[in-house]
PDB file of all heavy atoms in Angstrom:
ATOM      1  N   MET A  63      16.467  40.100  17.822  1.00  0.00           N
ATOM      2  CA  MET A  63      16.629  41.386  18.483  1.00  0.00           C
ATOM      3  C   MET A  63      18.038  41.581  19.028  1.00  0.00           C
ATOM      4  O   MET A  63      18.522  42.677  19.017  1.00  0.00           O
ATOM      5  CB  MET A  63      15.662  41.386  19.676  1.00  0.00           C
ATOM      6  CG  MET A  63      14.170  41.612  19.300  1.00  0.00           C
ATOM      7  SD  MET A  63      13.158  42.029  20.678  1.00  0.00           S
ATOM      8  CE  MET A  63      13.284  40.507  21.657  1.00  0.00           C
ATOM      9  N   ARG A  64      18.684  40.487  19.579  1.00  0.00           N
ATOM     10  CA  ARG A  64      19.908  40.663  20.149  1.00  0.00           C
ATOM     11  C   ARG A  64      21.164  41.004  19.195  1.00  0.00           C
ATOM     12  O   ARG A  64      21.990  41.749  19.534  1.00  0.00           O
ATOM     13  CB  ARG A  64      20.214  39.407  20.990  1.00  0.00           C
ATOM     14  CG  ARG A  64      21.273  39.423  22.041  1.00  0.00           C
ATOM     15  CD  ARG A  64      21.641  38.132  22.635  1.00  0.00           C
ATOM     16  NE  ARG A  64      20.565  37.594  23.385  1.00  0.00           N
ATOM     17  CZ  ARG A  64      20.454  37.703  24.722  1.00  0.00           C
ATOM     18  NH1 ARG A  64      21.347  38.340  25.413  1.00  0.00           N
ATOM     19  NH2 ARG A  64      19.429  37.131  25.324  1.00  0.00           N
ATOM     20  N   PHE A  65      21.104  40.274  18.080  1.00  0.00           N
ATOM     21  CA  PHE A  65      22.198  40.377  17.157  1.00  0.00           C
ATOM     22  C   PHE A  65      21.984  40.998  15.860  1.00  0.00           C
ATOM     23  O   PHE A  65      22.844  41.510  15.166  1.00  0.00           O
ATOM     24  CB  PHE A  65      22.842  38.994  16.918  1.00  0.00           C
ATOM     25  CG  PHE A  65      23.313  38.326  18.189  1.00  0.00           C
ATOM     26  CD1 PHE A  65      22.714  37.168  18.587  1.00  0.00           C
ATOM     27  CD2 PHE A  65      24.304  38.817  18.997  1.00  0.00           C
ATOM     28  CE1 PHE A  65      23.088  36.480  19.782  1.00  0.00           C
ATOM     29  CE2 PHE A  65      24.724  38.199  20.185  1.00  0.00           C
ATOM     30  CZ  PHE A  65      24.168  37.036  20.609  1.00  0.00           C
ATOM     31  N   LEU A  66      20.671  40.836  15.342  1.00  0.00           N
ATOM     32  CA  LEU A  66      20.538  41.162  13.883  1.00  0.00           C
ATOM     33  C   LEU A  66      19.680  42.381  13.671  1.00  0.00           C
ATOM     34  O   LEU A  66      19.507  42.907  12.549  1.00  0.00           O
ATOM     35  CB  LEU A  66      19.652  39.991  13.280  1.00  0.00           C
ATOM     36  CG  LEU A  66      20.358  38.550  13.332  1.00  0.00           C
ATOM     37  CD1 LEU A  66      19.449  37.599  12.646  1.00  0.00           C
ATOM     38  CD2 LEU A  66      21.766  38.625  12.656  1.00  0.00           C
ATOM     39  N   ASN A  67      19.331  43.116  14.820  1.00  0.00           N
ATOM     40  CA  ASN A  67      18.611  44.412  14.616  1.00  0.00           C
ATOM     41  C   ASN A  67      17.388  44.261  13.785  1.00  0.00           C
ATOM     42  O   ASN A  67      16.868  45.084  13.132  1.00  0.00           O
ATOM     43  CB  ASN A  67      19.452  45.367  13.999  1.00  0.00           C
ATOM     44  CG  ASN A  67      19.418  46.709  14.849  1.00  0.00           C
ATOM     45  OD1 ASN A  67      18.972  46.756  15.887  1.00  0.00           O
ATOM     46  ND2 ASN A  67      19.888  47.756  14.174  1.00  0.00           N
ATOM     47  N   GLU A  68      16.703  43.026  13.901  1.00  0.00           N
ATOM     48  CA  GLU A  68      15.542  42.714  13.125  1.00  0.00           C
ATOM     49  C   GLU A  68      14.358  42.535  14.142  1.00  0.00           C
ATOM     50  O   GLU A  68      14.529  41.959  15.196  1.00  0.00           O
ATOM     51  CB  GLU A  68      15.563  41.396  12.476  1.00  0.00           C
ATOM     52  CG  GLU A  68      16.157  41.429  11.000  1.00  0.00           C
ATOM     53  CD  GLU A  68      16.085  40.052  10.368  1.00  0.00           C
ATOM     54  OE1 GLU A  68      15.068  39.370  10.359  1.00  0.00           O
ATOM     55  OE2 GLU A  68      17.188  39.612   9.944  1.00  0.00           O
ATOM     56  N   ASP A  69      13.244  43.182  13.770  1.00  0.00           N
ATOM     57  CA  ASP A  69      12.044  42.979  14.621  1.00  0.00           C
ATOM     58  C   ASP A  69      11.512  41.479  14.230  1.00  0.00           C
ATOM     59  O   ASP A  69      11.186  41.242  13.081  1.00  0.00           O
ATOM     60  CB  ASP A  69      11.021  43.931  14.306  1.00  0.00           C
ATOM     61  CG  ASP A  69       9.720  43.863  15.143  1.00  0.00           C
ATOM     62  OD1 ASP A  69       9.526  42.758  15.662  1.00  0.00           O
ATOM     63  OD2 ASP A  69       9.021  44.755  15.287  1.00  0.00           O
ATOM     64  N   PRO A  70      11.589  40.591  15.284  1.00  0.00           N
ATOM     65  CA  PRO A  70      11.195  39.211  14.973  1.00  0.00           C
ATOM     66  C   PRO A  70       9.693  39.135  14.379  1.00  0.00           C
ATOM     67  O   PRO A  70       9.337  38.332  13.588  1.00  0.00           O
ATOM     68  CB  PRO A  70      11.213  38.450  16.251  1.00  0.00           C
ATOM     69  CG  PRO A  70      11.493  39.578  17.323  1.00  0.00           C
ATOM     70  CD  PRO A  70      11.898  40.705  16.678  1.00  0.00           C
ATOM     71  N   TRP A  71       8.795  40.053  14.822  1.00  0.00           N
ATOM     72  CA  TRP A  71       7.410  39.992  14.321  1.00  0.00           C
ATOM     73  C   TRP A  71       7.395  40.411  12.912  1.00  0.00           C
ATOM     74  O   TRP A  71       6.579  39.846  12.166  1.00  0.00           O
ATOM     75  CB  TRP A  71       6.563  40.931  15.225  1.00  0.00           C
ATOM     76  CG  TRP A  71       6.524  40.466  16.603  1.00  0.00           C
ATOM     77  CD1 TRP A  71       7.199  40.958  17.734  1.00  0.00           C
ATOM     78  CD2 TRP A  71       5.752  39.352  17.079  1.00  0.00           C
ATOM     79  NE1 TRP A  71       6.962  40.262  18.771  1.00  0.00           N
ATOM     80  CE2 TRP A  71       6.092  39.260  18.575  1.00  0.00           C
ATOM     81  CE3 TRP A  71       4.924  38.409  16.556  1.00  0.00           C
ATOM     82  CZ2 TRP A  71       5.443  38.280  19.367  1.00  0.00           C
ATOM     83  CZ3 TRP A  71       4.343  37.435  17.353  1.00  0.00           C
ATOM     84  CH2 TRP A  71       4.566  37.411  18.795  1.00  0.00           C
ATOM     85  N   GLU A  72       8.187  41.378  12.594  1.00  0.00           N
ATOM     86  CA  GLU A  72       8.262  41.938  11.219  1.00  0.00           C
ATOM     87  C   GLU A  72       8.892  40.745  10.282  1.00  0.00           C
ATOM     88  O   GLU A  72       8.359  40.591   9.197  1.00  0.00           O
ATOM     89  CB  GLU A  72       9.132  43.083  11.129  1.00  0.00           C
ATOM     90  CG  GLU A  72       9.035  43.937   9.928  1.00  0.00           C
ATOM     91  CD  GLU A  72       7.650  44.560   9.766  1.00  0.00           C
ATOM     92  OE1 GLU A  72       6.926  44.865  10.792  1.00  0.00           O
ATOM     93  OE2 GLU A  72       7.255  44.796   8.585  1.00  0.00           O
ATOM     94  N   ARG A  73       9.756  40.040  10.808  1.00  0.00           N
ATOM     95  CA  ARG A  73      10.327  38.937  10.016  1.00  0.00           C
ATOM     96  C   ARG A  73       9.220  37.916   9.739  1.00  0.00           C
ATOM     97  O   ARG A  73       9.003  37.414   8.568  1.00  0.00           O
ATOM     98  CB  ARG A  73      11.461  38.170  10.779  1.00  0.00           C
ATOM     99  CG  ARG A  73      11.876  36.905  10.040  1.00  0.00           C
ATOM    100  CD  ARG A  73      12.906  36.120  10.844  1.00  0.00           C
ATOM    101  NE  ARG A  73      14.275  36.711  10.651  1.00  0.00           N
ATOM    102  CZ  ARG A  73      15.423  36.056  11.011  1.00  0.00           C
ATOM    103  NH1 ARG A  73      15.327  34.811  11.402  1.00  0.00           N
ATOM    104  NH2 ARG A  73      16.580  36.652  10.888  1.00  0.00           N
ATOM    105  N   LEU A  74       8.456  37.595  10.786  1.00  0.00           N
ATOM    106  CA  LEU A  74       7.357  36.615  10.589  1.00  0.00           C
ATOM    107  C   LEU A  74       6.333  37.033   9.547  1.00  0.00           C
ATOM    108  O   LEU A  74       5.969  36.390   8.619  1.00  0.00           O
ATOM    109  CB  LEU A  74       6.686  36.331  11.848  1.00  0.00           C
ATOM    110  CG  LEU A  74       5.425  35.431  11.806  1.00  0.00           C
ATOM    111  CD1 LEU A  74       5.731  34.095  11.110  1.00  0.00           C
ATOM    112  CD2 LEU A  74       4.859  35.209  13.209  1.00  0.00           C
ATOM    113  N   ARG A  75       5.936  38.343   9.680  1.00  0.00           N
ATOM    114  CA  ARG A  75       4.892  38.894   8.638  1.00  0.00           C
ATOM    115  C   ARG A  75       5.450  38.894   7.228  1.00  0.00           C
ATOM    116  O   ARG A  75       4.733  38.634   6.292  1.00  0.00           O
ATOM    117  CB  ARG A  75       4.505  40.344   9.134  1.00  0.00           C
ATOM    118  CG  ARG A  75       3.493  40.269  10.290  1.00  0.00           C
ATOM    119  CD  ARG A  75       2.795  41.636  10.445  1.00  0.00           C
ATOM    120  NE  ARG A  75       3.789  42.605  11.050  1.00  0.00           N
ATOM    121  CZ  ARG A  75       3.843  42.809  12.425  1.00  0.00           C
ATOM    122  NH1 ARG A  75       3.112  42.256  13.227  1.00  0.00           N
ATOM    123  NH2 ARG A  75       4.730  43.677  12.766  1.00  0.00           N
ATOM    124  N   THR A  76       6.745  39.208   7.121  1.00  0.00           N
ATOM    125  CA  THR A  76       7.349  39.371   5.901  1.00  0.00           C
ATOM    126  C   THR A  76       7.448  37.938   5.248  1.00  0.00           C
ATOM    127  O   THR A  76       7.090  37.769   4.012  1.00  0.00           O
ATOM    128  CB  THR A  76       8.805  39.943   6.037  1.00  0.00           C
ATOM    129  OG1 THR A  76       8.662  41.178   6.647  1.00  0.00           O
ATOM    130  CG2 THR A  76       9.431  40.119   4.641  1.00  0.00           C
ATOM    131  N   LEU A  77       7.871  36.945   6.026  1.00  0.00           N
ATOM    132  CA  LEU A  77       7.854  35.566   5.549  1.00  0.00           C
ATOM    133  C   LEU A  77       6.552  35.063   5.120  1.00  0.00           C
ATOM    134  O   LEU A  77       6.401  34.311   4.105  1.00  0.00           O
ATOM    135  CB  LEU A  77       8.592  34.608   6.525  1.00  0.00           C
ATOM    136  CG  LEU A  77      10.065  34.878   6.705  1.00  0.00           C
ATOM    137  CD1 LEU A  77      10.539  34.067   7.991  1.00  0.00           C
ATOM    138  CD2 LEU A  77      10.866  34.459   5.520  1.00  0.00           C
ATOM    139  N   ARG A  78       5.532  35.365   5.991  1.00  0.00           N
ATOM    140  CA  ARG A  78       4.193  34.975   5.629  1.00  0.00           C
ATOM    141  C   ARG A  78       3.760  35.541   4.307  1.00  0.00           C
ATOM    142  O   ARG A  78       3.167  34.825   3.448  1.00  0.00           O
ATOM    143  CB  ARG A  78       3.203  35.482   6.688  1.00  0.00           C
ATOM    144  CG  ARG A  78       1.754  35.364   6.531  1.00  0.00           C
ATOM    145  CD  ARG A  78       1.418  33.800   6.752  1.00  0.00           C
ATOM    146  NE  ARG A  78       1.649  32.835   5.648  1.00  0.00           N
ATOM    147  CZ  ARG A  78       1.538  31.573   5.878  1.00  0.00           C
ATOM    148  NH1 ARG A  78       1.033  31.032   6.963  1.00  0.00           N
ATOM    149  NH2 ARG A  78       1.791  30.746   4.784  1.00  0.00           N
ATOM    150  N   LYS A  79       4.010  36.834   4.018  1.00  0.00           N
ATOM    151  CA  LYS A  79       3.673  37.463   2.761  1.00  0.00           C
ATOM    152  C   LYS A  79       4.378  36.787   1.613  1.00  0.00           C
ATOM    153  O   LYS A  79       3.881  36.576   0.552  1.00  0.00           O
ATOM    154  CB  LYS A  79       4.062  38.958   2.816  1.00  0.00           C
ATOM    155  CG  LYS A  79       2.985  39.879   2.322  1.00  0.00           C
ATOM    156  CD  LYS A  79       3.327  41.343   2.274  1.00  0.00           C
ATOM    157  CE  LYS A  79       3.620  41.871   3.679  1.00  0.00           C
ATOM    158  NZ  LYS A  79       4.173  43.282   3.654  1.00  0.00           N
ATOM    159  N   ALA A  80       5.703  36.460   1.810  1.00  0.00           N
ATOM    160  CA  ALA A  80       6.436  35.942   0.748  1.00  0.00           C
ATOM    161  C   ALA A  80       6.136  34.534   0.437  1.00  0.00           C
ATOM    162  O   ALA A  80       6.568  34.001  -0.579  1.00  0.00           O
ATOM    163  CB  ALA A  80       8.014  36.036   1.148  1.00  0.00           C
ATOM    164  N   MET A  81       5.544  33.764   1.437  1.00  0.00           N
ATOM    165  CA  MET A  81       5.217  32.429   1.262  1.00  0.00           C
ATOM    166  C   MET A  81       3.781  32.157   1.641  1.00  0.00           C
ATOM    167  O   MET A  81       3.458  31.434   2.611  1.00  0.00           O
ATOM    168  CB  MET A  81       6.186  31.536   2.116  1.00  0.00           C
ATOM    169  CG  MET A  81       7.635  31.748   1.715  1.00  0.00           C
ATOM    170  SD  MET A  81       8.839  30.684   2.570  1.00  0.00           S
ATOM    171  CE  MET A  81       8.899  31.400   4.111  1.00  0.00           C
TER     172      MET A  81
END
Side-chain angles (χ1 to χ4, degrees):
M63 287 193 294
R64 197 185 294 265
F65 301 117
L66 303 179
N67 227 14
E68 267 184 55
D69 183 338
W71 298 102
E72 196 65 27
R73 174 185 282 195
L74 173 56
R75 282 193 288 265
T76 305
L77 290 171
R78 175 77 284 173
K79 224 184 295 171
M81 300 187 282

